[in-house]
Amino acid sequence: MKLVLKTITFLFLVGLISINGQKISDDSLMKIARLQLYDNPEKAISIGKNLLKKEKDINKSIAIYLLLSTANIAKRNFDESLQYILKAKELAQKSNDLKTQTNVLISVAIQYQQMELFSKSLEVLNEADAILAKLPDNASEKFFETARSYAIRGMIYKSQSNSEIALEKFLISIKNFEKIEDKKNTSANMSIVYYNIGYCYINLNQLEKAQSAFQESIEYAQKDSAKSLEAFALKGLAEMHKQKRENETALQLLTQAENLSKNTGDLVLNEGIYKEMSENYLAMGKPELYQTYNKKYFEMRFKREQNELSSINHSINNYNMETAKKSGEIKTQYRFFRIAIISIAAMIMAFLLYFIIKVRKQNRNYQGKIQKLRRS
């Protein structure tokens, strides 16, 4: 079931389209790269790298880093994706644009959620919420990012087998997406959220509601011509039919999903499809086909786990670097305070010493005058 939790990836993608797309909408190459993110991430990466070489503007560079990170996460190359998203975060800290900062932070939270570093993801989401609170209440960006934030939280609850609370978060996400007047950038997101709602209903054994949610997911994916999202939804629908022991129907849907996912390079999607195919063939008493697809499933799983392990190692290294940096800052502050305290103490001692010497000098003068008066 952990495979299906990875679908939130694409919220990352749609986030960069709707916010940063406004800034570089005249760049035809960037538009082409974005269109290729779902179905040909390699091409998107190639375009993004070429654009990055000559880009000087901070906001546009952030958009390219987000695109490169998204394309790599679509391929389940978490290692490369993490490096690009951290570069985007570093640049965003230099930007005064609250929308850009929020967009990047939520994208970082999605990255950590993908890697199942849930506490880290929630920590970053809290940072994003603090910035979101500063945006006008009627801003479409606020609705959009709030919707993404709740979707991520829903995914985290869902991964912790708390489907009831996850559903609450997903429904809040849907409501916020529905508040956005410009619907052209919300179809893919709605597809993703409904897909995950479908799995919540499967977990709660409410199969009719699950079927309805998956159908909604497919319709929204088709509106955006998002083949990968449609493939995910078909896979979810197939799993529902498998639970009803309708194996032939499930395999037909999985075959459709496999055809849609051919160029995506999405390891998790392919892993999920092959896993479901093997289980359906096993249930139908076809051992040869079961072995064929079970082998494919394990191959995809191995590749995904290797990518995730590499990313987690980089994440740990990055965390250690951040900790060392903070420790260095604390040590610098400590040295500064120590020097300041010593300096202040020295000044006080000097003042006291001066005052003591002055008083003693005055006392000697008074004593001298008193002696003179006695003699006279």
Side-chain angles (χ1 to χ4, degrees):
M1 187 61 70
K2 285 188 178 180
L3 298 178
V4 303
L5 302 180
K6 304 292 184 178
T7 315
I8 200 74
T9 293
F10 291 96
L11 287 172
F12 190 129
L13 162 63
V14 187
L16 97 88
I17 286 176
S18 63
I19 299 298
N20 295 303
Q22 298 167 4
K23 295 180 180 291
I24 51 177
S25 58
D26 295 334
D27 191 327
S28 59
L29 283 175
M30 194 69 170
K31 286 182 178 178
I32 292 170
R34 286 170 175 160
L35 290 171
Q36 295 297 323
L37 276 168
Y38 283 115
D39 304 314
N40 195 346
E42 280 291 352
K43 186 172 182 179
I45 290 169
S46 177
I47 294 172
K49 285 182 176 179
N50 288 330
L51 288 171
L52 195 60
K53 290 176 184 177
K54 54 188 177 182
E55 190 55 67
K56 303 297 181 185
D57 182 82
I58 287 182
N59 288 328
K60 290 183 179 181
S61 295
I62 290 171
I64 296 170
Y65 279 128
L66 287 176
L67 179 138
L68 287 168
S69 182
T70 302
N72 276 285
I73 210 169
K75 290 176 59 186
R76 307 300 160 172
N77 189 343
F78 292 104
D79 187 15
E80 288 290 320
S81 177
L82 181 64
Q83 303 311 305
Y84 285 123
I85 194 60
L86 291 176
K87 287 178 182 177
K89 184 182 178 184
E90 185 180 339
L91 281 182
Q93 290 171 346
K94 300 176 183 178
S95 171
N96 293 322
D97 189 336
L98 296 178
K99 297 171 187 175
T100 299
Q101 289 177 5
T102 307
N103 180 244
V104 172
L105 282 173
I106 290 182
S107 297
V108 172
I110 292 168
Q111 174 82 51
Y112 285 129
Q113 182 272 331
Q114 288 282 293
M115 296 163 66
E116 298 186 8
L117 300 172
F118 300 134
S119 60
K120 191 69 176 173
S121 179
L122 290 169
E123 179 185 324
V124 177
L125 283 177
N126 290 336
E127 286 183 57
D129 287 346
I131 299 175
L132 270 175
K134 299 176 184 177
L135 293 176
D137 290 338
N138 60 347
S140 61
E141 292 85 2
K142 188 165 187 173
F143 295 137
F144 184 84
E145 298 299 356
T146 299
R148 291 211 298 159
S149 178
Y150 273 100
I152 302 164
R153 293 176 192 277
M155 287 298 297
I156 292 172
Y157 280 112
K158 180 181 163 193
S159 69
Q160 295 170 339
S161 301
N162 199 332
S163 296
E164 292 90 348
I165 295 179
L167 270 172
E168 290 176 14
K169 304 299 179 186
F170 288 136
L171 292 174
I172 293 172
S173 176
I174 291 287
K175 285 180 181 178
N176 276 277
F177 279 129
E178 288 175 344
K179 291 177 183 177
I180 300 170
E181 292 183 5
D182 186 0
K183 302 296 184 184
K184 65 181 180 181
N185 292 320
T186 62
S187 293
N189 289 286
M190 298 282 272
S191 174
I192 294 159
V193 179
Y194 273 116
Y195 166 84
N196 288 290
I197 287 172
Y199 269 101
C200 284
Y201 283 128
I202 283 181
N203 294 337
L204 295 170
N205 200 31
Q206 298 180 30
L207 299 185
E208 296 305 317
K209 288 184 177 180
Q211 181 169 355
S212 177
F214 286 131
Q215 291 290 356
E216 289 273 11
S217 180
I218 290 169
E219 289 174 17
Y220 278 111
Q222 289 174 342
K223 286 180 183 178
D224 207 55
S225 301
K227 293 180 181 179
S228 289
L229 297 184
E230 187 178 351
F232 268 110
L234 286 166
K235 181 174 70 67
L237 200 57
E239 188 164 341
M240 187 213 68
H241 282 287
K242 182 188 74 175
Q243 291 201 12
K244 290 172 142 184
R245 302 184 186 278
E246 297 170 353
N247 302 107
E248 283 287 357
T249 303
L251 282 168
Q252 290 173 10
L253 293 167
L254 289 167
T255 301
Q256 287 180 251
E258 185 182 23
N259 291 333
L260 287 168
S261 66
K262 280 182 180 177
N263 296 321
T264 64
D266 190 324
L267 297 177
V268 169
L269 175 57
N270 291 326
E271 179 185 350
I273 290 170
Y274 295 143
K275 178 177 180 292
E276 288 300 310
M277 281 185 148
S278 67
E279 289 179 358
N280 277 283
Y281 281 124
L282 182 63
M284 294 170 68
K286 297 183 178 181
E288 290 184 4
L289 287 170
Y290 162 74
Q291 289 177 2
T292 298
Y293 284 98
N294 196 48
K295 182 181 177 183
K296 289 183 179 183
Y297 158 61
F298 277 108
E299 287 173 355
M300 292 295 109
R301 180 178 174 178
F302 177 76
K303 288 180 183 179
R304 173 182 60 80
E305 288 177 346
Q306 289 299 110
N307 285 344
E308 289 179 357
L309 181 61
S310 179
S311 289
I312 289 170
N313 287 336
H314 274 286
S315 180
I316 291 169
N317 291 337
N318 181 71
Y319 176 77
N320 290 337
M321 287 173 63
E322 287 182 358
T323 303
K325 184 180 177 182
K326 288 177 182 177
S327 177
E329 289 173 355
I330 291 169
K331 286 179 180 178
T332 301
Q333 289 175 355
Y334 172 75
R335 282 195 294 267
F336 172 77
F337 286 127
R338 187 178 177 185
I339 292 168
I341 289 169
I342 292 171
S343 300
I344 292 169
M347 290 173 65
I348 292 170
M349 290 295 292
F351 175 77
L352 289 173
L353 185 61
Y354 168 77
F355 182 74
I356 291 167
I357 293 171
K358 184 178 178 182
V359 170
R360 284 182 177 179
K361 187 175 180 181
Q362 286 176 344
N363 287 341
R364 283 196 296 268
N365 288 336
Y366 290 144
Q367 286 174 0
K369 289 179 181 181
I370 291 168
Q371 291 295 332
K372 284 180 182 180
L373 286 171
R374 284 180 178 176
R375 288 171 188 164
S376 61

